[in-house]
């Protein structure tokens, strides 16, 4: 299953598990966060963004276009779900227990600008130095998030879901 989760369709044959073929689910089937929100007592959800949602400039080279295509594909499922959650927060009746759960959600996002500098090929880089750089950058991004937003946890969202509904 671990191999399948890292198996990008544009690079590898599908991984077979019990007679079924699998690729990385980021293109269409990463696990939904809805059950997590429904069944978790915490109102805070922290997203760790590993693919940039936006990238400066327009890709021109084939490699850059493929990189952006993969980022858009991987983000599309998450963004669609986040828009659905934003909509549910607006329309679900607050007196309904499920509506109250959606309305009371607090969303936070941890991201790193370093991820914007990494291209598609970085997903194939298993060199120890690179992996430790990612670990260290993840820790730095988490520390930056906590130094800015630790007082917001348990109180208010730091990621504005309603912004995702603009233009929809």
């Amino acid at each position: 299953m671990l191999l399948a989760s890292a198996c990008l369709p544009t690079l590898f044959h599908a991984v077979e598990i019990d007679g079924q073929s699998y690729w990385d689910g980021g293109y269409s089937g990463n696990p939904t966060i809805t059950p997590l929100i429904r069944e978790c007592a915490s109102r805070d959800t922290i997203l760790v963004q590993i693919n940039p949602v936006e990238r400066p400039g327009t890709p021109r080279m084939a490699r850059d276009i493929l990189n952006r295509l993969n980022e858009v594909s991987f983000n599309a499922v998450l963004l669609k779900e986040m828009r659905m959650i934003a909509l549910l927060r607006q329309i679900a009746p607050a007196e309904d227990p499920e509506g109250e759960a959606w309305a009371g959600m607090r969303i936070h996002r941890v991201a790193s600008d370093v991820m914007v500098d990494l291209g598609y090929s970085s997903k194939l880089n298993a060199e120890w130095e690179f992996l430790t750089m990612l670990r260290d950058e993840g820790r730095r991004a988490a520390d930056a998030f906590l130094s800015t937003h630790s007082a917001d946890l348990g109180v208010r969202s730091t990621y504005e879901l309603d912004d995702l509904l603009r233009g929809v």
Side-chain angles (χ1 to χ4, degrees), residues 8-104:
L8 302 173
T10 56
L11 297 174
F12 303 107
H13 292 284
V15 172
E16 191 171 305
I17 303 171
D18 296 330
Q20 295 284 351
S21 297
Y22 294 92
W23 276 299
D24 188 298
Y27 287 98
S28 65
N30 269 339
T32 178
I33 64 171
T34 304
L36 173 71
I37 294 163
R38 281 188 174 150
E39 298 180 27
C40 184
S42 175
R43 296 294 178 112
D44 290 272
T45 301
I46 300 175
L47 299 173
V48 178
Q49 191 86 41
I50 60 170
N51 285 313
V53 174
E54 293 181 12
R55 184 177 283 280
T58 302
R60 304 270 183 230
M61 305 289 290
R63 178 182 65 238
D64 298 331
I65 293 168
L66 181 60
N67 181 40
R68 191 64 190 136
L69 173 67
N70 281 295
E71 289 171 350
V72 168
S73 297
F74 275 72
N75 284 326
V77 177
L78 174 64
L79 289 173
K80 181 178 179 182
E81 187 170 20
M82 298 307 289
R83 284 184 186 106
M84 183 264 318
I85 291 169
L87 189 59
L88 283 173
R89 288 173 49 133
Q90 290 182 358
I91 65 169
E95 61 278 356
D96 178 289
E98 185 146 338
E100 195 274 326
W102 293 115

Side-chain angles (χ1 to χ4, degrees), residues 110-131:
V110 176
S112 168
D113 291 337
V114 168
M115 302 313 282
V116 174
D117 297 332
L118 299 177
Y120 182 70
S121 63
S122 71
K123 296 188 181 359
L124 305 173
N125 189 345
E127 294 176 14
W128 184 250
E129 185 176 307
F130 180 72
L131 296 174

